[in-house]
Amino acid sequence: MPGRNEPCPCGSGRKYKYCCLNFPKQPEEPDPDPFGEGDPFEEGDPFEDFDVYGPLGMSREEFEDVLVPFFKHPGIIQVASRIESNPTSTLTVVLEAIHEMEPGWDGEAVGLPGSMEDLVVDRVLALPEFEHLFDDMKVVAGPDPSEYPDVPAHPERGVALRSANIALFTLLEAGVVTRRNGRLVTSAAFRSEVEKRDYSRMYPLLFRTLAEDVYWSVTTMQDVFEELFGYTLVQLARQGPSSAPFSSFVEIFYDAFPSVHLLAATGGHQNDEEFNEELAALAYVISVIYSFWCVLGLVDIQAGDFFNHRITVRPLLHELVQFPDEWLDASPQHDVPDFDGLSPASMHALIYAPFDSPSVISFADVVDVNVVDADATSGDVAPILIVLQEILNAIEQGGLKATKTGALPRAFAQAVGPRVRSAQEEYWASYRSRILKESDVPTLESARIVLELAGVVRKYKGRFIIGRAFRPVVKKHGVGGVYPALFQAAVTKYNWAYGDSMVSLPRIQTFVGYTLRLLLRYGHETRPDTFYSSAFIDAFPAMLEEAWEASEHRWDTPVGILTRAYNHRTFSRFGHLMGLVHETREPGGDFRTPLEVRATPLLREFVQVHV
């Protein structure tokens, strides 16, 4: 058996660990749906795209370590068996209230008994960390509370009661409090320590119990925050002795997990149209800060407007949990070889905020391209701009009527289609009859869809027209003026997988910023497309498992599945359509022959990657 890092004996050229070690080849099976088609508009699952690097700057391996149940891996994060401090927190308030009144509290209720609520809530609200809870009522009730009749008059009491109930569940789950004869009492094993208010042995147990066994997030989020618990701890530990506003913790967490942001903001319902960032921030504050950090007494909170309350970490956290020193570096910028030399922070910005991180990647406002030269054969002319220019010409010459299905007319497809075909389409054209409709040239169909998604081209009374907002831009700059809008629509709105009958792997499109960086760095020379797919897989090896699970073709390997989908969608579809790459095929090669790829001058004119 070969070693994990040795070449795979199947001949794929990949390392054994990335190929047949975990995904052995199976006998070949016929494709049950060789002509399956998808939706041209990418739907996707907005909850699954978690950023595995994050603004905290962890490497992939570090991030994976911190997300596992770390109490079972003491070499990763170590939890103390005892502490020296004598903390005051919601846990101690509830425990002492139960002990003072033994055996007076009814233990049959699921949470705190009604007779106990007011006493405990008043004590919780007297804690320093709860003193300024909901000072800014607009966050909860809006500018006019009468518009929100379901919001309680004193929501701070509801949050305090929630924290107290979480504390009670933790005490019961840890065995510190028990129910005896229908009453809540402290257990015999901890009674003497509670009487002495000695929490040195008890507190690490309560910390573990709350982290592992008790739901402490808001209802709509279920166990999402709990699953990402390790990340919040590292985030808090890195804060150190200085203070920071709630908003900074919210921003860092949701930047690392943008899908959680969407889930929180839509109340847990994927199809909600209204996206409310304040509600997402509130979900984090109540779940993570007031239902975990404050229950344990890990932070001090100083007054400010609600999201500007400031958090200071108490020494108790560092007594409870020991982190590897490298995780607590405030601004790690170490390079990761698998990221082609990029730091995790740069990678995060490049793949998750390509249009909002000008210090990492930027785009020109206008491109200067001559698209009216019908004899251009260099591959540097963007097919989408050729199609747009021809639509403009047709409109000026009397108009362009759409077909009944909304497609470009047959005569247009026959005239323009051969000029915009990719190398793959040229190969298949030799086996196909003449062009009869728009869809006979996938590049032409994709161009029309992207033009409409961007709003550059519209239909009015069955005819194609230029969108009103883009008319002055076209008049001033020509078709190169609308190229940025077309590029963004092709990346964010159009589904690259439309109609290609391959597995759905939306991350290929999501991570386009990294591909652009590779093309700018290596695209000055002609290279096989497998060069880029290999670099992509090295950066995102988790996609191999995703490709394997999504595919029904067990005769192939995950590397083969991902390589074909990546190369086809990135180069033959998107790159060719937008004029970013020039593809060639060796003379006599068939569809299995790797394409040769080079970057075009248009790519270097339009995109600048600064890392």
Side-chain angles (χ1 to χ4, degrees):
M1 179 181 296
R4 288 171 53 82
N5 292 313
E6 294 179 4
C8 186
C10 76
S12 66
R14 302 289 298 166
K15 293 179 181 179
Y16 182 50
K17 64 181 179 181
Y18 288 153
C19 196
C20 293
L21 174 61
N22 297 316
F23 310 99
K25 289 186 177 180
Q26 300 293 330
E28 182 171 347
E29 297 177 1
D31 187 347
D33 184 20
F35 303 107
E37 291 191 351
D39 187 336
F41 307 103
E42 175 64 65
E43 296 293 341
D45 181 359
F47 304 159
E48 69 180 11
D49 290 334
F50 285 174
D51 167 23
V52 297
Y53 315 113
L56 291 186
M58 292 181 173
S59 69
R60 180 175 58 250
E61 291 78 10
E62 291 171 340
F63 189 89
E64 290 172 352
D65 284 344
V66 81
L67 289 188
V68 300
F70 59 81
F71 296 122
K72 301 176 183 178
H73 301 272
I76 299 172
I77 300 179
Q78 297 182 357
V79 180
S81 59
R82 302 180 68 90
I83 60 172
E84 298 297 328
S85 301
N86 196 28
T88 299
S89 66
T90 305
L91 277 167
T92 59
V93 164
V94 174
L95 179 58
E96 289 169 7
I98 292 173
H99 182 67
E100 288 172 9
M101 299 298 180
E102 287 187 6
W105 299 118
D106 180 9
E108 298 300 326
V110 175
L112 287 173
S115 56
M116 191 177 180
E117 283 186 6
D118 287 341
L119 170 66
V120 171
V121 168
D122 288 340
R123 291 187 181 184
V124 169
L125 288 175
L127 293 171
E129 55 266 37
F130 285 87
E131 183 178 356
H132 301 286
L133 180 60
F134 291 136
D135 281 351
D136 186 357
M137 297 300 295
K138 292 180 182 179
V139 173
V140 178
D144 183 3
S146 64
E147 297 180 2
Y148 300 86
D150 295 332
V151 175
H154 301 286
E156 71 278 5
R157 296 189 69 83
V159 174
L161 177 60
R162 174 181 177 78
S163 296
N165 276 322
I166 290 172
L168 175 62
F169 299 150
T170 303
L171 292 165
L172 288 167
E173 191 70 29
V176 175
V177 169
T178 187
R179 290 184 172 95
R180 181 181 304 157
N181 298 325
R183 301 290 177 178
L184 289 173
V185 297
T186 53
S187 65
F190 293 93
R191 187 179 302 275
S192 63
E193 295 173 51
V194 174
E195 291 174 350
K196 299 175 184 178
R197 295 190 176 182
D198 177 10
Y199 303 116
S200 60
R201 180 176 70 97
M202 189 188 315
Y203 227 72
L205 172 63
L206 295 174
F207 173 74
R208 291 169 180 263
T209 303
L210 178 56
E212 291 187 294
D213 302 321
V214 178
Y215 277 162
W216 43 266
S217 67
V218 294
T219 304
T220 55
M221 295 299 293
Q222 294 295 324
D223 57 356
V224 176
F225 285 126
E226 288 92 330
E227 290 180 355
L228 306 176
F229 164 74
Y231 194 82
T232 67
L233 274 184
V234 176
Q235 183 183 355
L236 185 61
R238 281 190 174 178
Q239 180 60 38
S242 59
S243 65
F246 283 7
S247 56
S248 68
F249 288 91
V250 173
E251 181 179 357
I252 288 176
F253 185 83
Y254 282 135
D255 277 352
F257 305 102
S259 304
V260 180
H261 192 184
L262 178 60
L263 184 63
T266 58
H269 303 290
Q270 179 176 349
N271 295 324
D272 281 6
E273 295 182 359
E274 183 177 356
F275 185 87
N276 191 318
E277 291 189 357
E278 279 194 346
L279 290 180
L282 188 63
Y284 179 88
V285 169
I286 294 178
S287 294
V288 178
I289 296 177
Y290 283 110
S291 297
F292 188 86
W293 295 354
C294 289
V295 168
L296 287 162
L298 299 180
V299 297
D300 288 315
I301 297 178
Q302 293 80 43
D305 291 341
F306 186 74
F307 289 117
N308 290 318
H309 287 344
R310 301 187 71 85
I311 294 175
T312 303
V313 179
R314 290 177 178 171
L316 174 63
L317 175 67
H318 296 285
E319 286 189 54
L320 277 171
V321 185
Q322 296 296 315
F323 302 89
D325 291 340
E326 60 269 20
W327 286 10
L328 301 184
D329 182 357
S331 57
Q333 293 294 324
H334 53 284
D335 293 343
V336 179
D338 282 350
F339 298 164
D340 197 51
L342 293 177
S343 70
S346 295
M347 176 68 92
H348 172 267
L350 192 63
I351 65 178
Y352 280 103
F355 299 106
D356 300 309
S357 302
S359 63
V360 176
I361 183 171
S362 58
F363 305 91
D365 295 329
V366 177
V367 295
D368 182 14
V369 182
N370 178 11
V371 298
V372 297
D373 182 5
D375 296 325
T377 58
S378 67
D380 297 338
V381 179
I384 194 169
L385 295 184
I386 294 177
V387 174
L388 176 57
Q389 184 64 57
E390 292 301 326
I391 290 176
L392 283 170
N393 294 342
I395 292 174
E396 292 175 358
Q397 295 170 9
L400 184 65
K401 187 177 180 179
T403 67
K404 292 182 179 180
T405 60
L408 292 164
R410 175 177 176 177
F412 187 99
Q414 290 175 334
V416 181
R419 296 172 54 194
V420 299
R421 284 192 294 223
S422 67
Q424 290 278 37
E425 292 165 350
E426 289 285 357
Y427 173 81
W428 290 113
S430 61
Y431 295 92
R432 184 180 295 166
S433 60
R434 61 195 179 95
I435 298 173
L436 298 177
K437 55 186 181 300
E438 172 195 275
S439 58
D440 288 338
V441 183
T443 296
L444 182 61
E445 183 181 31
S446 297
R448 192 262 307 166
I449 293 173
V450 172
L451 286 166
E452 293 192 69
L453 287 174
V456 174
V457 170
R458 297 176 52 243
K459 297 188 187 78
Y460 178 72
K461 294 184 177 180
R463 292 181 174 271
F464 289 99
I465 64 171
I466 302 301
R468 186 185 302 273
F470 293 97
R471 292 172 193 171
V473 180
V474 172
K475 184 176 181 180
K476 182 177 181 179
H477 300 289
V479 294
V482 299
Y483 185 85
L486 298 177
F487 180 88
Q488 189 158 352
V491 171
T492 62
K493 296 181 179 181
Y494 180 64
N495 178 9
W496 297 2
Y498 171 52
D500 67 7
S501 71
M502 298 182 189
V503 296
S504 176
L505 295 169
R507 295 175 197 268
I508 291 174
Q509 185 166 345
T510 302
F511 299 161
V512 64
Y514 184 68
T515 296
L516 292 174
R517 196 257 186 177
L518 292 174
L519 281 168
L520 285 170
R521 188 172 187 183
Y522 301 108
H524 58 281
E525 297 180 2
T526 300
R527 300 173 186 268
D529 54 11
T530 51
F531 170 84
Y532 294 98
S533 58
S534 294
F536 186 85
I537 293 172
D538 283 343
F540 308 107
M543 286 193 63
L544 291 172
E545 183 173 355
E546 184 178 347
W548 183 251
E549 292 177 351
S551 175
E552 297 178 355
H553 309 311
R554 289 299 184 255
W555 50 266
D556 206 346
T557 66
V559 171
I561 296 168
L562 181 53
T563 296
R564 278 191 301 279
Y566 175 82
N567 289 338
H568 177 67
R569 293 169 186 171
T570 302
F571 303 123
S572 298
R573 298 292 297 266
F574 170 73
H576 170 73
L577 174 69
M578 303 309 298
L580 304 178
V581 298
H582 178 46
E583 295 178 297
T584 56
R585 190 186 299 280
E586 293 181 5
D590 59 18
F591 69 95
R592 292 166 295 186
T593 305
L595 289 169
E596 298 290 324
V597 176
R598 70 164 174 82
T600 63
L602 175 60
L603 173 65
R604 300 183 184 283
E605 177 187 352
F606 178 62
V607 183
Q608 295 292 321
V609 176
H610 309 291
V611 292

mmCIF file of all heavy atoms in Angstrom, residues 135-164:
data_model
loop_
_atom_site.group_PDB
_atom_site.id
_atom_site.type_symbol
_atom_site.label_atom_id
_atom_site.label_comp_id
_atom_site.label_asym_id
_atom_site.label_seq_id
_atom_site.Cartn_x
_atom_site.Cartn_y
_atom_site.Cartn_z
ATOM 1 N N ASP A 135 -30.444 49.013 27.131
ATOM 2 C CA ASP A 135 -30.569 50.469 27.297
ATOM 3 C C ASP A 135 -31.136 51.109 26.034
ATOM 4 O O ASP A 135 -31.909 52.049 26.088
ATOM 5 C CB ASP A 135 -29.203 51.087 27.604
ATOM 6 C CG ASP A 135 -28.817 50.891 29.057
ATOM 7 O OD1 ASP A 135 -29.684 50.431 29.829
ATOM 8 O OD2 ASP A 135 -27.675 51.192 29.422
ATOM 9 N N ASP A 136 -30.714 50.599 24.869
ATOM 10 C CA ASP A 136 -31.209 51.107 23.601
ATOM 11 C C ASP A 136 -32.398 50.258 23.169
ATOM 12 O O ASP A 136 -32.266 49.245 22.520
ATOM 13 C CB ASP A 136 -30.106 51.047 22.535
ATOM 14 C CG ASP A 136 -30.546 51.712 21.237
ATOM 15 O OD1 ASP A 136 -31.702 52.148 21.177
ATOM 16 O OD2 ASP A 136 -29.720 51.775 20.309
ATOM 17 N N MET A 137 -33.606 50.702 23.545
ATOM 18 C CA MET A 137 -34.798 49.896 23.314
ATOM 19 C C MET A 137 -35.176 49.807 21.847
ATOM 20 O O MET A 137 -35.936 48.944 21.445
ATOM 21 C CB MET A 137 -35.971 50.473 24.097
ATOM 22 C CG MET A 137 -35.767 50.447 25.598
ATOM 23 S SD MET A 137 -35.522 48.758 26.207
ATOM 24 C CE MET A 137 -37.114 48.065 25.842
ATOM 25 N N LYS A 138 -34.636 50.691 20.994
ATOM 26 C CA LYS A 138 -34.991 50.659 19.582
ATOM 27 C C LYS A 138 -34.583 49.341 18.930
ATOM 28 O O LYS A 138 -35.189 48.907 17.956
ATOM 29 C CB LYS A 138 -34.328 51.829 18.846
ATOM 30 C CG LYS A 138 -34.873 53.184 19.243
ATOM 31 C CD LYS A 138 -34.171 54.293 18.468
ATOM 32 C CE LYS A 138 -34.686 55.649 18.894
ATOM 33 N NZ LYS A 138 -33.992 56.746 18.155
ATOM 34 N N VAL A 139 -33.539 48.722 19.458
ATOM 35 C CA VAL A 139 -33.077 47.462 18.876
ATOM 36 C C VAL A 139 -34.157 46.398 18.981
ATOM 37 O O VAL A 139 -34.347 45.578 18.094
ATOM 38 C CB VAL A 139 -31.793 46.993 19.584
ATOM 39 C CG1 VAL A 139 -31.400 45.607 19.095
ATOM 40 C CG2 VAL A 139 -30.681 47.984 19.339
ATOM 41 N N VAL A 140 -34.906 46.447 20.086
ATOM 42 C CA VAL A 140 -35.890 45.408 20.337
ATOM 43 C C VAL A 140 -37.282 45.829 19.881
ATOM 44 O O VAL A 140 -37.975 45.108 19.182
ATOM 45 C CB VAL A 140 -35.916 45.047 21.835
ATOM 46 C CG1 VAL A 140 -36.975 43.994 22.116
ATOM 47 C CG2 VAL A 140 -34.552 44.573 22.260
ATOM 48 N N ALA A 141 -37.698 47.021 20.274
ATOM 49 C CA ALA A 141 -39.078 47.420 20.051
ATOM 50 C C ALA A 141 -39.268 48.380 18.901
ATOM 51 O O ALA A 141 -40.390 48.683 18.540
ATOM 52 C CB ALA A 141 -39.635 48.046 21.332
ATOM 53 N N GLY A 142 -38.210 48.866 18.312
ATOM 54 C CA GLY A 142 -38.353 49.809 17.214
ATOM 55 C C GLY A 142 -38.638 51.207 17.741
ATOM 56 O O GLY A 142 -38.847 51.417 18.935
ATOM 57 N N PRO A 143 -38.661 52.206 16.865
ATOM 58 C CA PRO A 143 -38.892 53.581 17.317
ATOM 59 C C PRO A 143 -40.276 53.788 17.911
ATOM 60 O O PRO A 143 -40.472 54.655 18.731
ATOM 61 C CB PRO A 143 -38.702 54.404 16.028
ATOM 62 C CG PRO A 143 -38.918 53.427 14.908
ATOM 63 C CD PRO A 143 -38.440 52.106 15.418
ATOM 64 N N ASP A 144 -41.257 52.969 17.490
ATOM 65 C CA ASP A 144 -42.617 53.096 18.017
ATOM 66 C C ASP A 144 -43.059 51.749 18.576
ATOM 67 O O ASP A 144 -43.476 50.865 17.823
ATOM 68 C CB ASP A 144 -43.578 53.539 16.914
ATOM 69 C CG ASP A 144 -45.001 53.750 17.447
ATOM 70 O OD1 ASP A 144 -45.195 53.604 18.675
ATOM 71 O OD2 ASP A 144 -45.894 54.051 16.640
ATOM 72 N N PRO A 145 -42.968 51.550 19.917
ATOM 73 C CA PRO A 145 -43.311 50.244 20.501
ATOM 74 C C PRO A 145 -44.731 49.794 20.182
ATOM 75 O O PRO A 145 -45.013 48.605 20.190
ATOM 76 C CB PRO A 145 -43.129 50.474 22.006
ATOM 77 C CG PRO A 145 -42.181 51.637 22.091
ATOM 78 C CD PRO A 145 -42.492 52.504 20.909
ATOM 79 N N SER A 146 -45.626 50.736 19.867
ATOM 80 C CA SER A 146 -47.001 50.336 19.562
ATOM 81 C C SER A 146 -47.092 49.517 18.285
ATOM 82 O O SER A 146 -48.069 48.810 18.055
ATOM 83 C CB SER A 146 -47.886 51.577 19.425
ATOM 84 O OG SER A 146 -47.475 52.368 18.314
ATOM 85 N N GLU A 147 -46.059 49.592 17.434
ATOM 86 C CA GLU A 147 -46.045 48.806 16.211
ATOM 87 C C GLU A 147 -45.662 47.358 16.468
ATOM 88 O O GLU A 147 -45.762 46.527 15.577
ATOM 89 C CB GLU A 147 -45.074 49.425 15.202
ATOM 90 C CG GLU A 147 -45.466 50.832 14.750
ATOM 91 C CD GLU A 147 -44.470 51.393 13.765
ATOM 92 O OE1 GLU A 147 -43.512 50.665 13.409
ATOM 93 O OE2 GLU A 147 -44.628 52.553 13.342
ATOM 94 N N TYR A 148 -45.190 47.059 17.676
ATOM 95 C CA TYR A 148 -44.717 45.713 17.999
ATOM 96 C C TYR A 148 -45.432 45.227 19.254
ATOM 97 O O TYR A 148 -44.865 45.168 20.336
ATOM 98 C CB TYR A 148 -43.202 45.720 18.219
ATOM 99 C CG TYR A 148 -42.428 46.184 17.012
ATOM 100 C CD1 TYR A 148 -42.190 47.533 16.795
ATOM 101 C CD2 TYR A 148 -41.946 45.275 16.083
ATOM 102 C CE1 TYR A 148 -41.491 47.975 15.682
ATOM 103 C CE2 TYR A 148 -41.244 45.699 14.967
ATOM 104 C CZ TYR A 148 -41.022 47.054 14.772
ATOM 105 O OH TYR A 148 -40.331 47.473 13.680
ATOM 106 N N PRO A 149 -46.727 44.889 19.141
ATOM 107 C CA PRO A 149 -47.500 44.531 20.339
ATOM 108 C C PRO A 149 -47.008 43.259 21.017
ATOM 109 O O PRO A 149 -47.304 43.044 22.194
ATOM 110 C CB PRO A 149 -48.921 44.356 19.789
ATOM 111 C CG PRO A 149 -48.730 44.046 18.327
ATOM 112 C CD PRO A 149 -47.523 44.828 17.912
ATOM 113 N N ASP A 150 -46.281 42.398 20.290
ATOM 114 C CA ASP A 150 -45.839 41.143 20.889
ATOM 115 C C ASP A 150 -44.564 41.303 21.710
ATOM 116 O O ASP A 150 -44.143 40.370 22.398
ATOM 117 C CB ASP A 150 -45.600 40.087 19.801
ATOM 118 C CG ASP A 150 -46.891 39.715 19.085
ATOM 119 O OD1 ASP A 150 -47.952 39.835 19.730
ATOM 120 O OD2 ASP A 150 -46.833 39.321 17.907
ATOM 121 N N VAL A 151 -43.926 42.456 21.625
ATOM 122 C CA VAL A 151 -42.687 42.671 22.380
ATOM 123 C C VAL A 151 -43.049 43.035 23.809
ATOM 124 O O VAL A 151 -43.838 43.950 24.049
ATOM 125 C CB VAL A 151 -41.846 43.796 21.741
ATOM 126 C CG1 VAL A 151 -40.627 44.104 22.600
ATOM 127 C CG2 VAL A 151 -41.420 43.397 20.345
ATOM 128 N N PRO A 152 -42.511 42.340 24.812
ATOM 129 C CA PRO A 152 -42.854 42.649 26.197
ATOM 130 C C PRO A 152 -42.390 44.046 26.587
ATOM 131 O O PRO A 152 -41.458 44.602 26.008
ATOM 132 C CB PRO A 152 -42.107 41.568 27.001
ATOM 133 C CG PRO A 152 -41.018 41.100 26.084
ATOM 134 C CD PRO A 152 -41.551 41.234 24.701
ATOM 135 N N ALA A 153 -43.077 44.607 27.584
ATOM 136 C CA ALA A 153 -42.748 45.968 28.022
ATOM 137 C C ALA A 153 -41.351 46.050 28.613
ATOM 138 O O ALA A 153 -40.706 47.094 28.542
ATOM 139 C CB ALA A 153 -43.787 46.437 29.050
ATOM 140 N N HIS A 154 -40.876 44.963 29.202
ATOM 141 C CA HIS A 154 -39.549 44.958 29.828
ATOM 142 C C HIS A 154 -38.768 43.747 29.311
ATOM 143 O O HIS A 154 -38.612 42.739 30.017
ATOM 144 C CB HIS A 154 -39.674 44.906 31.357
ATOM 145 C CG HIS A 154 -40.435 46.063 31.921
ATOM 146 N ND1 HIS A 154 -39.898 47.326 32.002
ATOM 147 C CD2 HIS A 154 -41.702 46.135 32.401
ATOM 148 C CE1 HIS A 154 -40.814 48.146 32.527
ATOM 149 N NE2 HIS A 154 -41.907 47.447 32.775
ATOM 150 N N PRO A 155 -38.259 43.831 28.080
ATOM 151 C CA PRO A 155 -37.586 42.655 27.500
ATOM 152 C C PRO A 155 -36.321 42.264 28.237
ATOM 153 O O PRO A 155 -35.898 41.123 28.159
ATOM 154 C CB PRO A 155 -37.264 43.115 26.068
ATOM 155 C CG PRO A 155 -37.248 44.608 26.127
ATOM 156 C CD PRO A 155 -38.282 44.976 27.147
ATOM 157 N N GLU A 156 -35.739 43.213 29.002
ATOM 158 C CA GLU A 156 -34.520 42.852 29.737
ATOM 159 C C GLU A 156 -34.812 41.786 30.783
ATOM 160 O O GLU A 156 -33.966 40.932 31.074
ATOM 161 C CB GLU A 156 -33.886 44.090 30.380
ATOM 162 C CG GLU A 156 -34.651 44.681 31.557
ATOM 163 C CD GLU A 156 -35.797 45.586 31.118
ATOM 164 O OE1 GLU A 156 -36.053 45.680 29.903
ATOM 165 O OE2 GLU A 156 -36.429 46.185 32.002
ATOM 166 N N ARG A 157 -36.015 41.787 31.341
ATOM 167 C CA ARG A 157 -36.363 40.765 32.323
ATOM 168 C C ARG A 157 -36.494 39.396 31.644
ATOM 169 O O ARG A 157 -36.158 38.367 32.232
ATOM 170 C CB ARG A 157 -37.659 41.131 33.065
ATOM 171 C CG ARG A 157 -37.549 42.394 33.900
ATOM 172 C CD ARG A 157 -38.778 42.587 34.782
ATOM 173 N NE ARG A 157 -38.848 41.592 35.837
ATOM 174 C CZ ARG A 157 -38.208 41.669 37.005
ATOM 175 N NH1 ARG A 157 -37.423 42.717 37.258
ATOM 176 N NH2 ARG A 157 -38.343 40.727 37.909
ATOM 177 N N GLY A 158 -36.984 39.403 30.405
ATOM 178 C CA GLY A 158 -37.080 38.145 29.673
ATOM 179 C C GLY A 158 -35.711 37.550 29.398
ATOM 180 O O GLY A 158 -35.514 36.321 29.514
ATOM 181 N N VAL A 159 -34.745 38.380 29.033
ATOM 182 C CA VAL A 159 -33.393 37.888 28.780
ATOM 183 C C VAL A 159 -32.764 37.385 30.072
ATOM 184 O O VAL A 159 -32.105 36.344 30.099
ATOM 185 C CB VAL A 159 -32.530 38.988 28.135
ATOM 186 C CG1 VAL A 159 -31.076 38.530 28.003
ATOM 187 C CG2 VAL A 159 -33.084 39.375 26.779
ATOM 188 N N ALA A 160 -32.965 38.124 31.167
ATOM 189 C CA ALA A 160 -32.410 37.700 32.452
ATOM 190 C C ALA A 160 -33.027 36.376 32.896
ATOM 191 O O ALA A 160 -32.328 35.495 33.425
ATOM 192 C CB ALA A 160 -32.640 38.782 33.507
ATOM 193 N N LEU A 161 -34.341 36.210 32.692
ATOM 194 C CA LEU A 161 -34.998 34.953 33.062
ATOM 195 C C LEU A 161 -34.472 33.812 32.205
ATOM 196 O O LEU A 161 -34.248 32.701 32.710
ATOM 197 C CB LEU A 161 -36.506 35.080 32.895
ATOM 198 C CG LEU A 161 -37.324 33.817 33.184
ATOM 199 C CD1 LEU A 161 -37.120 33.350 34.621
ATOM 200 C CD2 LEU A 161 -38.814 34.070 32.898
ATOM 201 N N ARG A 162 -34.259 34.078 30.930
ATOM 202 C CA ARG A 162 -33.709 33.045 30.048
ATOM 203 C C ARG A 162 -32.340 32.605 30.542
ATOM 204 O O ARG A 162 -32.031 31.414 30.608
ATOM 205 C CB ARG A 162 -33.619 33.576 28.614
ATOM 206 C CG ARG A 162 -32.926 32.623 27.674
ATOM 207 C CD ARG A 162 -32.814 33.169 26.258
ATOM 208 N NE ARG A 162 -32.068 32.228 25.447
ATOM 209 C CZ ARG A 162 -32.553 31.123 24.946
ATOM 210 N NH1 ARG A 162 -33.805 30.794 25.189
ATOM 211 N NH2 ARG A 162 -31.810 30.312 24.220
ATOM 212 N N SER A 163 -31.493 33.558 30.895
ATOM 213 C CA SER A 163 -30.158 33.224 31.407
ATOM 214 C C SER A 163 -30.254 32.431 32.700
ATOM 215 O O SER A 163 -29.487 31.483 32.924
ATOM 216 C CB SER A 163 -29.354 34.513 31.626
ATOM 217 O OG SER A 163 -29.133 35.188 30.404
ATOM 218 N N ALA A 164 -31.209 32.789 33.553
ATOM 219 C CA ALA A 164 -31.371 32.069 34.814
ATOM 220 C C ALA A 164 -31.833 30.631 34.567
ATOM 221 O O ALA A 164 -31.372 29.694 35.239
ATOM 222 C CB ALA A 164 -32.374 32.804 35.704
#
